[in-house]
mmCIF file of all heavy atoms in Angstrom:
data_model
loop_
_atom_site.group_PDB
_atom_site.id
_atom_site.type_symbol
_atom_site.label_atom_id
_atom_site.label_comp_id
_atom_site.label_asym_id
_atom_site.label_seq_id
_atom_site.Cartn_x
_atom_site.Cartn_y
_atom_site.Cartn_z
ATOM 1 N N ILE A 6 1.698 -15.072 9.442
ATOM 2 C CA ILE A 6 0.629 -14.110 9.166
ATOM 3 C C ILE A 6 1.154 -12.960 8.321
ATOM 4 O O ILE A 6 0.506 -12.520 7.360
ATOM 5 C CB ILE A 6 0.017 -13.583 10.487
ATOM 6 C CG1 ILE A 6 -0.751 -14.698 11.185
ATOM 7 C CG2 ILE A 6 -0.895 -12.401 10.207
ATOM 8 C CD1 ILE A 6 -1.964 -15.187 10.428
ATOM 9 N N ALA A 7 2.335 -12.456 8.673
ATOM 10 C CA ALA A 7 2.919 -11.347 7.920
ATOM 11 C C ALA A 7 3.170 -11.749 6.473
ATOM 12 O O ALA A 7 2.895 -10.972 5.535
ATOM 13 C CB ALA A 7 4.216 -10.891 8.578
ATOM 14 N N GLY A 8 3.674 -12.964 6.266
ATOM 15 C CA GLY A 8 3.928 -13.436 4.908
ATOM 16 C C GLY A 8 2.652 -13.608 4.112
ATOM 17 O O GLY A 8 2.584 -13.234 2.922
ATOM 18 N N ALA A 9 1.628 -14.163 4.737
ATOM 19 C CA ALA A 9 0.350 -14.349 4.054
ATOM 20 C C ALA A 9 -0.264 -13.003 3.682
ATOM 21 O O ALA A 9 -0.817 -12.830 2.583
ATOM 22 C CB ALA A 9 -0.602 -15.146 4.945
ATOM 23 N N PHE A 10 -0.180 -12.048 4.593
ATOM 24 C CA PHE A 10 -0.728 -10.727 4.326
ATOM 25 C C PHE A 10 0.020 -10.060 3.172
ATOM 26 O O PHE A 10 -0.600 -9.454 2.289
ATOM 27 C CB PHE A 10 -0.638 -9.852 5.575
ATOM 28 C CG PHE A 10 -1.098 -8.433 5.351
ATOM 29 C CD1 PHE A 10 -2.441 -8.111 5.420
ATOM 30 C CD2 PHE A 10 -0.194 -7.430 5.048
ATOM 31 C CE1 PHE A 10 -2.880 -6.818 5.187
ATOM 32 C CE2 PHE A 10 -0.612 -6.128 4.817
ATOM 33 C CZ PHE A 10 -1.957 -5.827 4.893
ATOM 34 N N PHE A 11 1.350 -10.159 3.173
ATOM 35 C CA PHE A 11 2.138 -9.512 2.119
ATOM 36 C C PHE A 11 1.812 -10.107 0.756
ATOM 37 O O PHE A 11 1.690 -9.382 -0.241
ATOM 38 C CB PHE A 11 3.629 -9.660 2.419
ATOM 39 C CG PHE A 11 4.508 -8.854 1.507
ATOM 40 C CD1 PHE A 11 4.601 -7.477 1.649
ATOM 41 C CD2 PHE A 11 5.241 -9.467 0.502
ATOM 42 C CE1 PHE A 11 5.404 -6.722 0.804
ATOM 43 C CE2 PHE A 11 6.048 -8.722 -0.342
ATOM 44 C CZ PHE A 11 6.136 -7.351 -0.190
ATOM 45 N N ALA A 12 1.643 -11.425 0.693
ATOM 46 C CA ALA A 12 1.274 -12.078 -0.564
ATOM 47 C C ALA A 12 -0.094 -11.596 -1.039
ATOM 48 O O ALA A 12 -0.295 -11.313 -2.235
ATOM 49 C CB ALA A 12 1.272 -13.594 -0.388
ATOM 50 N N ALA A 13 -1.041 -11.487 -0.100
ATOM 51 C CA ALA A 13 -2.374 -10.996 -0.454
ATOM 52 C C ALA A 13 -2.315 -9.552 -0.936
ATOM 53 O O ALA A 13 -3.000 -9.169 -1.892
ATOM 54 C CB ALA A 13 -3.311 -11.110 0.750
ATOM 55 N N ALA A 14 -1.472 -8.732 -0.281
ATOM 56 C CA ALA A 14 -1.334 -7.328 -0.671
ATOM 57 C C ALA A 14 -0.767 -7.205 -2.085
ATOM 58 O O ALA A 14 -1.189 -6.337 -2.865
ATOM 59 C CB ALA A 14 -0.448 -6.596 0.330
ATOM 60 N N LEU A 15 0.195 -8.061 -2.433
ATOM 61 C CA LEU A 15 0.760 -8.038 -3.783
ATOM 62 C C LEU A 15 -0.311 -8.365 -4.825
ATOM 63 O O LEU A 15 -0.405 -7.683 -5.858
ATOM 64 C CB LEU A 15 1.905 -9.048 -3.889
ATOM 65 C CG LEU A 15 3.259 -8.631 -3.310
ATOM 66 C CD1 LEU A 15 4.228 -9.799 -3.369
ATOM 67 C CD2 LEU A 15 3.824 -7.427 -4.063
ATOM 68 N N VAL A 16 -1.117 -9.369 -4.550
ATOM 69 C CA VAL A 16 -2.178 -9.759 -5.481
ATOM 70 C C VAL A 16 -3.187 -8.625 -5.644
ATOM 71 O O VAL A 16 -3.611 -8.292 -6.765
ATOM 72 C CB VAL A 16 -2.876 -11.036 -5.001
ATOM 73 C CG1 VAL A 16 -4.099 -11.335 -5.865
ATOM 74 C CG2 VAL A 16 -1.912 -12.213 -5.037
ATOM 75 N N LEU A 17 -3.581 -8.014 -4.533
ATOM 76 C CA LEU A 17 -4.548 -6.921 -4.585
ATOM 77 C C LEU A 17 -3.991 -5.715 -5.325
ATOM 78 O O LEU A 17 -4.712 -5.015 -6.040
ATOM 79 C CB LEU A 17 -4.955 -6.527 -3.159
ATOM 80 C CG LEU A 17 -5.820 -7.549 -2.424
ATOM 81 C CD1 LEU A 17 -5.964 -7.163 -0.956
ATOM 82 C CD2 LEU A 17 -7.185 -7.681 -3.072
ATOM 83 N N SER A 18 -2.687 -5.448 -5.172
ATOM 84 C CA SER A 18 -2.068 -4.316 -5.866
ATOM 85 C C SER A 18 -1.997 -4.553 -7.367
ATOM 86 O O SER A 18 -2.026 -3.601 -8.156
ATOM 87 C CB SER A 18 -0.656 -4.069 -5.313
ATOM 88 O OG SER A 18 -0.700 -3.730 -3.944
ATOM 89 N N LEU A 19 -1.886 -5.828 -7.756
ATOM 90 C CA LEU A 19 -1.824 -6.167 -9.180
ATOM 91 C C LEU A 19 -3.182 -6.045 -9.862
ATOM 92 O O LEU A 19 -3.253 -5.837 -11.077
ATOM 93 C CB LEU A 19 -1.301 -7.601 -9.349
ATOM 94 C CG LEU A 19 0.204 -7.805 -9.163
ATOM 95 C CD1 LEU A 19 0.520 -9.285 -9.065
ATOM 96 C CD2 LEU A 19 0.978 -7.164 -10.307
ATOM 97 N N ALA A 20 -4.259 -6.199 -9.093
ATOM 98 C CA ALA A 20 -5.600 -6.121 -9.676
ATOM 99 C C ALA A 20 -5.859 -4.718 -10.214
ATOM 100 O O ALA A 20 -5.580 -3.726 -9.533
ATOM 101 C CB ALA A 20 -6.646 -6.477 -8.620
ATOM 102 N N PRO A 21 -6.378 -4.586 -11.452
ATOM 103 C CA PRO A 21 -6.659 -3.262 -12.009
ATOM 104 C C PRO A 21 -7.610 -2.475 -11.120
ATOM 105 O O PRO A 21 -8.639 -2.990 -10.690
ATOM 106 C CB PRO A 21 -7.302 -3.587 -13.369
ATOM 107 C CG PRO A 21 -6.815 -4.955 -13.701
ATOM 108 C CD PRO A 21 -6.710 -5.677 -12.376
ATOM 109 N N GLY A 22 -7.251 -1.258 -10.820
ATOM 110 C CA GLY A 22 -8.077 -0.417 -9.973
ATOM 111 C C GLY A 22 -7.746 1.050 -10.193
ATOM 112 O O GLY A 22 -6.846 1.382 -10.985
ATOM 113 N N PRO A 23 -8.440 1.954 -9.515
ATOM 114 C CA PRO A 23 -8.232 3.390 -9.734
ATOM 115 C C PRO A 23 -6.797 3.839 -9.506
ATOM 116 O O PRO A 23 -6.271 4.657 -10.272
ATOM 117 C CB PRO A 23 -9.183 4.039 -8.716
ATOM 118 C CG PRO A 23 -10.210 3.003 -8.445
ATOM 119 C CD PRO A 23 -9.508 1.685 -8.541
ATOM 120 N N ASP A 24 -6.133 3.304 -8.477
ATOM 121 C CA ASP A 24 -4.802 3.802 -8.147
ATOM 122 C C ASP A 24 -3.755 3.409 -9.184
ATOM 123 O O ASP A 24 -2.962 4.258 -9.619
ATOM 124 C CB ASP A 24 -4.378 3.297 -6.762
ATOM 125 C CG ASP A 24 -5.095 4.029 -5.641
ATOM 126 O OD1 ASP A 24 -5.796 5.021 -5.943
ATOM 127 O OD2 ASP A 24 -4.968 3.625 -4.474
ATOM 128 N N ASN A 25 -3.704 2.128 -9.577
ATOM 129 C CA ASN A 25 -2.681 1.763 -10.551
ATOM 130 C C ASN A 25 -2.986 2.324 -11.938
ATOM 131 O O ASN A 25 -2.065 2.611 -12.707
ATOM 132 C CB ASN A 25 -2.441 0.243 -10.595
ATOM 133 C CG ASN A 25 -3.713 -0.565 -10.631
ATOM 134 O OD1 ASN A 25 -4.759 -0.072 -11.040
ATOM 135 N ND2 ASN A 25 -3.630 -1.808 -10.200
ATOM 136 N N ILE A 26 -4.267 2.517 -12.256
ATOM 137 C CA ILE A 26 -4.618 3.193 -13.504
ATOM 138 C C ILE A 26 -4.163 4.652 -13.453
ATOM 139 O O ILE A 26 -3.653 5.208 -14.437
ATOM 140 C CB ILE A 26 -6.134 3.111 -13.770
ATOM 141 C CG1 ILE A 26 -6.537 1.661 -14.058
ATOM 142 C CG2 ILE A 26 -6.534 4.006 -14.941
ATOM 143 C CD1 ILE A 26 -8.021 1.454 -14.201
ATOM 144 N N PHE A 27 -4.310 5.269 -12.291
ATOM 145 C CA PHE A 27 -3.877 6.647 -12.103
ATOM 146 C C PHE A 27 -2.363 6.764 -12.304
ATOM 147 O O PHE A 27 -1.876 7.678 -12.986
ATOM 148 C CB PHE A 27 -4.271 7.104 -10.695
ATOM 149 C CG PHE A 27 -4.040 8.555 -10.423
ATOM 150 C CD1 PHE A 27 -4.738 9.526 -11.107
ATOM 151 C CD2 PHE A 27 -3.125 8.957 -9.463
ATOM 152 C CE1 PHE A 27 -4.537 10.875 -10.854
ATOM 153 C CE2 PHE A 27 -2.915 10.292 -9.189
ATOM 154 C CZ PHE A 27 -3.623 11.258 -9.892
ATOM 155 N N VAL A 28 -1.601 5.838 -11.729
ATOM 156 C CA VAL A 28 -0.148 5.842 -11.891
ATOM 157 C C VAL A 28 0.224 5.639 -13.357
ATOM 158 O O VAL A 28 1.124 6.317 -13.883
ATOM 159 C CB VAL A 28 0.498 4.739 -11.021
ATOM 160 C CG1 VAL A 28 1.982 4.588 -11.341
ATOM 161 C CG2 VAL A 28 0.324 5.071 -9.543
ATOM 162 N N LEU A 29 -0.473 4.738 -14.026
ATOM 163 C CA LEU A 29 -0.176 4.458 -15.430
ATOM 164 C C LEU A 29 -0.406 5.691 -16.297
ATOM 165 O O LEU A 29 0.428 6.018 -17.159
ATOM 166 C CB LEU A 29 -1.039 3.301 -15.915
ATOM 167 C CG LEU A 29 -0.832 2.873 -17.378
ATOM 168 C CD1 LEU A 29 0.590 2.375 -17.598
ATOM 169 C CD2 LEU A 29 -1.837 1.791 -17.763
ATOM 170 N N THR A 30 -1.514 6.388 -16.078
ATOM 171 C CA THR A 30 -1.805 7.566 -16.894
ATOM 172 C C THR A 30 -0.804 8.685 -16.638
ATOM 173 O O THR A 30 -0.357 9.362 -17.566
ATOM 174 C CB THR A 30 -3.229 8.083 -16.638
ATOM 175 O OG1 THR A 30 -3.415 8.338 -15.239
ATOM 176 C CG2 THR A 30 -4.259 7.078 -17.099
ATOM 177 N N GLN A 31 -0.427 8.897 -15.376
ATOM 178 C CA GLN A 31 0.519 9.972 -15.071
ATOM 179 C C GLN A 31 1.906 9.678 -15.645
ATOM 180 O O GLN A 31 2.578 10.572 -16.164
ATOM 181 C CB GLN A 31 0.622 10.167 -13.557
ATOM 182 C CG GLN A 31 -0.656 10.648 -12.878
ATOM 183 C CD GLN A 31 -1.204 11.923 -13.498
ATOM 184 O OE1 GLN A 31 -0.661 13.003 -13.349
ATOM 185 N NE2 GLN A 31 -2.309 11.784 -14.223
ATOM 186 N N SER A 32 2.339 8.419 -15.566
ATOM 187 C CA SER A 32 3.646 8.074 -16.116
ATOM 188 C C SER A 32 3.616 8.069 -17.638
ATOM 189 O O SER A 32 4.617 8.397 -18.287
ATOM 190 C CB SER A 32 4.114 6.717 -15.585
ATOM 191 O OG SER A 32 3.154 5.711 -15.820
ATOM 192 N N ALA A 33 2.474 7.712 -18.236
ATOM 193 C CA ALA A 33 2.348 7.766 -19.690
ATOM 194 C C ALA A 33 2.354 9.203 -20.186
ATOM 195 O O ALA A 33 2.816 9.497 -21.293
ATOM 196 C CB ALA A 33 1.071 7.056 -20.138
ATOM 197 N N LEU A 34 1.849 10.109 -19.375
ATOM 198 C CA LEU A 34 1.848 11.530 -19.733
ATOM 199 C C LEU A 34 3.214 12.175 -19.551
ATOM 200 O O LEU A 34 3.694 12.900 -20.422
ATOM 201 C CB LEU A 34 0.822 12.285 -18.884
ATOM 202 C CG LEU A 34 -0.649 12.200 -19.299
ATOM 203 C CD1 LEU A 34 -1.535 12.764 -18.206
ATOM 204 C CD2 LEU A 34 -0.876 12.947 -20.606
ATOM 205 N N TYR A 35 3.857 11.908 -18.415
ATOM 206 C CA TYR A 35 5.036 12.687 -18.032
ATOM 207 C C TYR A 35 6.297 11.872 -17.800
ATOM 208 O O TYR A 35 7.330 12.431 -17.447
ATOM 209 C CB TYR A 35 4.728 13.486 -16.753
ATOM 210 C CG TYR A 35 3.449 14.267 -16.825
ATOM 211 C CD1 TYR A 35 2.395 14.008 -15.949
ATOM 212 C CD2 TYR A 35 3.265 15.266 -17.780
ATOM 213 C CE1 TYR A 35 1.210 14.725 -16.015
ATOM 214 C CE2 TYR A 35 2.079 15.985 -17.856
ATOM 215 C CZ TYR A 35 1.060 15.704 -16.969
ATOM 216 O OH TYR A 35 -0.108 16.405 -17.036
ATOM 217 N N GLY A 36 6.249 10.548 -17.967
ATOM 218 C CA GLY A 36 7.429 9.737 -17.788
ATOM 219 C C GLY A 36 7.399 8.896 -16.523
ATOM 220 O O GLY A 36 6.569 9.100 -15.628
ATOM 221 N N ALA A 37 8.349 7.948 -16.436
ATOM 222 C CA ALA A 37 8.365 6.989 -15.327
ATOM 223 C C ALA A 37 8.540 7.662 -13.974
ATOM 224 O O ALA A 37 7.910 7.266 -12.982
ATOM 225 C CB ALA A 37 9.474 5.963 -15.554
ATOM 226 N N LEU A 38 9.400 8.692 -13.904
ATOM 227 C CA LEU A 38 9.620 9.355 -12.624
ATOM 228 C C LEU A 38 8.336 9.990 -12.100
ATOM 229 O O LEU A 38 8.075 9.989 -10.893
ATOM 230 C CB LEU A 38 10.718 10.415 -12.755
ATOM 231 C CG LEU A 38 11.079 11.173 -11.472
ATOM 232 C CD1 LEU A 38 11.507 10.210 -10.367
ATOM 233 C CD2 LEU A 38 12.182 12.203 -11.744
ATOM 234 N N ALA A 39 7.523 10.515 -13.012
ATOM 235 C CA ALA A 39 6.239 11.088 -12.605
ATOM 236 C C ALA A 39 5.353 10.020 -11.977
ATOM 237 O O ALA A 39 4.657 10.273 -10.986
ATOM 238 C CB ALA A 39 5.541 11.718 -13.804
ATOM 239 N N GLY A 40 5.376 8.810 -12.557
ATOM 240 C CA GLY A 40 4.597 7.724 -11.981
ATOM 241 C C GLY A 40 5.106 7.323 -10.611
ATOM 242 O O GLY A 40 4.316 7.004 -9.710
ATOM 243 N N ILE A 41 6.423 7.347 -10.432
ATOM 244 C CA ILE A 41 7.004 7.015 -9.131
ATOM 245 C C ILE A 41 6.606 8.052 -8.087
ATOM 246 O O ILE A 41 6.230 7.709 -6.958
ATOM 247 C CB ILE A 41 8.537 6.916 -9.241
ATOM 248 C CG1 ILE A 41 8.919 5.681 -10.070
ATOM 249 C CG2 ILE A 41 9.187 6.861 -7.863
ATOM 250 C CD1 ILE A 41 10.396 5.575 -10.372
#
Side-chain angles (χ1 to χ4, degrees):
I6 291 295
F10 176 84
F11 189 74
L15 281 174
V16 172
L17 290 171
S18 298
L19 283 168
D24 285 352
N25 46 23
I26 293 174
F27 187 65
V28 171
L29 181 62
T30 55
Q31 295 305 288
S32 54
L34 280 169
Y35 310 118
L38 181 57
I41 291 173

